[in-house]
Amino acid sequence: PGTSLKLPGTSQGGGPSPAVRPVTQSGRPITGFVRPSTQSGRPSTMEQAIKTPRTALTARPITSASGRYGRLGTASMITNPDGPFINLSRLNLAKYAQKPKLAKALFEYIFHHENDVKNALDLAALATEHAQFKDWWWKVQIGKCYYRLGLYREAEKQFKSALKQQDMVDTILYLAKVYLRLDQPVTALNFFKQGLDRFPGEVALICGIARIYEEMNNISSAAEYYKDVLKQDNTHVEAIACIGSNHFYSDQPELALRFYRRLLQMGVYNCQLFNNLGLCCFYAQQYDMTLSSFERALFLAENEEETADVWYNLGHVAVGIGDLNLAYQCFRLTLVNNNDYAEAYNNLAVLEMRKGHIEQARALLQTASSLAPHMYEPHFNFAILSEKVGDLQRSYTAAQKSAEAFPGHVDTQELIKQLKQHFAML
């Protein structure tokens, strides 16, 4: 326990419970900052991947990472309008490998622009032979190719060999990426800490440690390391955002507000920031700023998913001030903008239950639990609803699912106990 990213609920750091902080599909608390490698939540089965609400703003579930790597050609790349800049299939790689300066530029072109890992690897192998295996740069590049091809152990050997020749922060970061792919976060942490002995105060390394702790649910250690990052670089957006979201979910909205205001002063100006400012103002009881922040967030939203998030939070504000009609409309607008929003289905169902519309509430809860099987609320609400109607069997099944999603939820345990007593009487 606590050494794997695959079973995130096993940390010793006393991570926040799903009752306080929403979790992703893989069971990790939502971070304060979107990172390309972890935002997909890596669905474990193909079926789950197909069902997953769309992330990264595409209409398709995330399949492989390769789509992110292709880079657009810049104007300087075009020699003749109709043909490619370099015809890779006709290159004599052995010839270019003899010319170190040219070879490095050519490698970067093949790897980053053409995204042709196989040819890049061939060139790097020939060049490193020509350099008699003494050039650390080529070893790092071969490691990058192996990493992209999924040969993690081979990549690890190359990076380690390069580190022996030349101590570089980049190489340590790549090694840590390899270990995270191999699901060995503790090894990655040790490498980062060794790196910090040699490069004291290096922001990238401290930030890497904080991210791993955050992925392992050890939020308190992550926050400490993010604070260390800010001691070295007090304009580090990721660290400020993560500490802010951590304070918000630890019931300290006033402190979170200070961090988000700092981001605003630094010139970060986007929908997410104003959304967070609005929420912090609401929970810190500064009502004059709440609605204007949300208005600004709606104005700055770049796509429907962001708009949906803002309407969802406005629904919470409406519930907080007791205006249930407004809340109902806000959650409806959330679903208009993003039809996969499980939390909005769940909250709408609760409002329908209050109005006494049992069937509608049941349908909404079933939609919510099929969209997000990792959330415990829809299962729990469905169990309560079924128990009230007298459908004990369905109630028991839903309560079991809720207990699976969040084992520490006391109300679920109570409900299961009551149901077992009912069944014993029958």
Side-chain angles (χ1 to χ4, degrees), residues 160-400:
K160 278 189 168 167
S161 165
L163 264 183
K164 276 182 194 151
Q165 284 180 358
Q166 175 81 28
D167 231 359
M168 292 292 283
V169 177
D170 263 10
T171 320
I172 299 172
L173 291 170
Y174 273 116
L175 250 178
K177 272 177 82 165
V178 169
Y179 285 126
L180 287 180
R181 279 283 181 203
L182 291 169
D183 194 24
Q184 297 180 356
V186 178
T187 320
L189 282 174
N190 292 339
F191 254 97
F192 275 138
K193 284 172 182 167
Q194 287 167 24
L196 277 177
D197 294 340
R198 304 196 294 275
F199 299 100
E202 173 55 51
V203 172
L205 298 180
I206 309 175
C207 197
I209 296 177
R211 283 178 194 167
I212 295 177
Y213 275 130
E214 198 167 45
E215 287 191 31
M216 287 164 69
N217 268 8
N218 193 341
I219 302 290
S220 47
S221 303
E224 288 305 313
Y225 277 100
Y226 278 129
K227 283 174 187 162
D228 286 350
V229 170
L230 290 184
K231 282 176 196 161
Q232 304 295 337
D233 170 12
N234 55 13
T235 56
H236 198 277
V237 175
E238 182 178 344
I240 297 176
C242 287
I243 296 173
S245 74
N246 188 32
H247 279 308
F248 178 79
Y249 287 120
S250 314
D251 258 351
Q252 298 168 317
E254 299 86 353
L255 288 176
L257 190 56
R258 283 171 52 186
F259 282 96
Y260 288 128
R261 272 175 52 201
R262 167 79 180 140
L263 284 177
L264 197 59
Q265 286 163 354
M266 279 164 43
V268 177
Y269 191 75
N270 58 19
C271 163
Q272 291 85 345
L273 180 59
F274 279 103
N275 177 34
N276 292 357
L277 280 169
L279 275 181
C280 289
C281 288
F282 179 67
Y283 285 107
Q285 294 170 359
Q286 299 184 8
Y287 299 125
D288 50 340
M289 286 292 295
T290 307
L291 287 177
S292 55
S293 295
F294 281 129
E295 275 176 3
R296 188 70 54 86
L298 280 172
F299 174 69
L300 289 171
E302 289 174 3
N303 52 47
E304 290 183 341
E305 296 194 6
E306 288 178 6
T307 315
D309 282 337
V310 182
W311 280 118
Y312 174 73
N313 287 333
L314 275 166
H316 269 281
V317 172
V319 170
I321 57 175
D323 187 343
L324 296 186
N325 284 332
L326 175 62
Y328 189 81
Q329 286 172 323
C330 288
F331 292 134
R332 280 274 177 219
L333 279 165
T334 307
L335 294 178
V336 167
N337 284 297
N338 179 3
N339 213 7
D340 283 342
Y341 215 105
E343 291 91 342
Y345 281 111
N346 176 57
N347 294 1
L348 268 176
V350 175
L351 293 176
E352 293 284 12
M353 259 156 78
R354 289 190 59 142
K355 289 181 183 173
H357 301 159
I358 302 293
E359 283 309 311
Q360 273 163 309
R362 180 178 279 179
L364 287 165
L365 285 171
Q366 279 174 327
T367 311
S369 49
S370 65
L371 278 173
H374 60 279
M375 274 168 52
Y376 77 96
E377 290 100 329
H379 298 306
F380 176 66
N381 291 340
F382 190 75
I384 293 275
L385 181 65
S386 303
E387 197 243 359
K388 275 185 185 164
V389 182
D391 188 346
L392 299 186
Q393 182 56 48
R394 270 189 183 175
S395 175
Y396 185 69
T397 338
Q400 291 290 71

Side-chain angles (χ1 to χ4, degrees), residues 109-180:
Y109 172 80
I110 298 174
F111 188 78
H112 292 296
H113 181 269
E114 292 295 325
N115 197 18
D116 182 346
V117 181
K118 194 177 151 298
N119 273 327
L121 182 59
D122 292 344
L123 175 63
L126 291 164
T128 191
E129 266 178 52
H130 178 254
Q132 296 166 347
F133 304 99
K134 285 179 185 159
D135 189 342
W136 64 272
W137 192 86
W138 282 113
K139 289 183 180 174
V140 173
Q141 306 315 312
I142 293 177
K144 277 157 73 171
C145 291
Y146 280 144
Y147 175 80
R148 193 79 74 82
L149 292 167
L151 302 166
Y152 300 125
R153 285 296 177 195
E154 280 80 357
E156 176 196 7
K157 282 179 198 155
Q158 295 293 338
F159 289 137
K160 278 189 168 167
S161 165
L163 264 183
K164 276 182 194 151
Q165 284 180 358
Q166 175 81 28
D167 231 359
M168 292 292 283
V169 177
D170 263 10
T171 320
I172 299 172
L173 291 170
Y174 273 116
L175 250 178
K177 272 177 82 165
V178 169
Y179 285 126
L180 287 180

